[in-house]
């Protein structure tokens, strides 16, 4: 009973905030998703990443291990999902990226923080940074047919990650007034991302429910199993294993729908994966928490 209450305490804030966004759009209130997303990804998330890395008490060697483990997990998931698309004869441009990459930002970072505290938040930031790099290179190549390194360099979270890693390595700190300001800005990130997730899901319409439901279940089971296996292979501790598992098993991100729409893949199928996998996460995330806590 105590464990179930702990799980409820972790998932309740996540889904309540996403529910705020969903309710907001259902009531017909305006919500400028483009502006809020730009505010979060240009200002709030980079500030969160930088301050989390600069102020982390995690061993740099442990961060390096988690980074390598995250790359390895994504490589394994990509290979597995490639096989799935081959066997099921699915269009790779439409399905491979969504089945590989999850919502590690809007959902994964808050989950990691609520489940494992400050250390979990810092580990969640590390895995999210790896995911972001792969989405804008490998993920973009899968959908558009070519990667875009320039697009990656234009993402503020990339220099924020590199700068945070440099400050961590050198043991530097920004002046207190600047640190306080950056931390305050970073605190916007989680509520903004969760509310925007709810808004985005509320505006999408799923199609082909039977297929996307089966693929959504396959994604969460395969990603969680691969993450646990990779964590064991790299000898990760309890917190790092939990964060990696939660991040890898997050539902399909709205980014997958936007990329499919922009580059001519099946945007309706991608939208279905986003909506159904997010709905499935209401049941899947508590089960995963029972495993990793």
């Amino acid at each position: 009973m105590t464990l179930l209450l702990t799980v409820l305490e972790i998932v309740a804030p996540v889904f309540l905030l996403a529910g705020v966004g969903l309710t907001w759009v259902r009531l017909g209130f305006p919500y400028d998703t483009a502006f809020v997303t730009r505010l979060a990804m240009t200002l709030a998330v980079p500030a969160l990443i930088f301050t989390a890395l600069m102020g982390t008490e995690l061993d740099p060697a442990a961060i390096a291990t988690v980074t390598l483990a995250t790359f390895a997990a994504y490589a394994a998931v990509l290979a597995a999902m490639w096989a799935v698309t081959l066997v099921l004869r699915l269009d790779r441009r439409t399905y491979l990226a969504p089945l590989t990459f999850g919502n590690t930002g809007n959902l994964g970072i808050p989950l990691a923080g609520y489940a494992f505290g400050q250390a979990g938040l810092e580990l969640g930031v590390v895995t999210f940074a790896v995911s972001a790099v792969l989405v804008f290179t490998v993920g973009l190549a899968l959908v558009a047919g070519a990667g875009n390194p320039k697009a990656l360099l234009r993402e503020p979270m990339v220099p924020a990650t590199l700068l945070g890693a440099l400050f961590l390595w050198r043991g530097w700190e920004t002046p207190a007034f600047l640190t306080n300001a950056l931390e305050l800005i970073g605190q916007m990130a989680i509520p903004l991302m969760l509310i925007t997730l709810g808004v985005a899901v509320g505006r999408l319409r799923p199609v082909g429910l039977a297929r996307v439901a089966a693929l959504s279940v396959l994604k969460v089971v395969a990603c969680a199993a691969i993450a646990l296996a990779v964590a064991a292979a790299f000898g990760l501790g309890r917190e790092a294993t939990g964060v990696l598992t939660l991040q890898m098993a997050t539902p399909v991100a709205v980014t997958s729908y936007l990329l499919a729409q922009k580059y001519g893949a099946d945007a309706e199928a991608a939208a279905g994966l986003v909506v159904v996998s997010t709905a499935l996460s209401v049941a899947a995330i508590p089960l995963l928490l029972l495993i990793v806590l």
Side-chain angles (χ1 to χ4, degrees):
M1 181 61 70
T2 301
L3 182 57
L4 289 175
L5 289 175
T6 301
V7 169
L8 180 61
E9 290 172 356
I10 293 168
V11 299
V14 172
F15 290 115
L16 283 174
L17 278 172
V20 168
L22 180 62
T23 303
W24 186 275
V25 74
R26 292 297 190 192
L27 290 174
F29 296 148
Y31 192 93
D32 192 337
T33 303
F35 167 74
V36 177
T37 301
R38 183 172 299 175
L39 176 66
M41 302 307 289
T42 304
L43 190 61
V45 173
L48 175 65
I49 290 173
F50 175 73
T51 54
L53 289 175
M54 179 182 66
T56 185
E57 297 181 359
L58 298 173
D59 181 7
I63 294 177
T65 302
V66 170
T67 300
L68 291 174
T70 305
F71 274 112
Y74 273 115
V77 169
L78 179 60
M81 295 308 171
W82 187 289
V84 168
T85 59
L86 181 64
V87 171
L88 299 181
R89 298 181 180 179
L90 300 174
D91 177 28
R92 289 197 185 96
R93 292 182 60 240
T94 297
Y95 289 97
L96 187 52
L99 291 176
T100 301
F101 302 106
N103 199 340
T104 56
N106 296 55
L107 192 56
I109 289 178
L111 272 175
Y114 288 130
F116 297 102
Q118 183 62 28
L121 177 65
E122 293 165 0
L123 289 167
V125 165
V126 172
T127 54
F128 166 66
V130 173
S131 173
V133 169
L134 292 174
V135 166
F136 283 98
T137 52
V138 177
L140 193 55
L142 293 174
V143 180
N148 192 347
K150 291 183 179 179
L152 177 64
L153 293 175
R154 288 196 297 266
E155 289 296 321
M157 69 186 72
V158 175
T161 301
L162 296 176
L163 198 58
L166 175 63
F167 272 61
L168 171 63
W169 174 52
R170 300 297 299 174
W172 296 340
E173 292 184 1
T174 53
F177 76 91
L178 181 56
T179 301
N180 292 337
L182 290 171
E183 288 179 345
L184 191 60
I185 294 170
Q187 288 172 14
M188 294 192 300
I190 289 176
L192 279 179
M193 289 190 295
L194 288 174
I195 291 173
T196 303
L197 171 64
V199 169
V201 170
R203 288 175 174 170
L204 295 176
R205 295 293 178 268
V207 295
L209 287 178
R211 169 181 284 184
V212 297
L215 290 174
S216 297
V217 172
L218 175 65
K219 172 179 168 56
V220 69
V221 172
C223 288
I226 289 172
L228 289 169
V230 169
F234 277 80
L236 300 185
R238 170 179 164 273
E239 291 176 343
T241 297
V243 170
L244 181 62
T245 304
L246 290 172
Q247 285 282 51
M248 295 300 299
T250 49
V252 179
V254 179
T255 306
S256 296
Y257 165 73
L258 298 176
L259 289 177
Q261 192 173 49
K262 181 175 181 179
Y263 292 104
D266 189 343
E268 290 188 352
L273 282 170
V274 173
V275 174
V276 174
S277 65
T278 303
L280 175 67
S281 70
V282 176
I285 287 174
L287 291 175
L288 288 172
L289 287 169
L290 288 172
I291 293 171
V292 301
L293 286 178

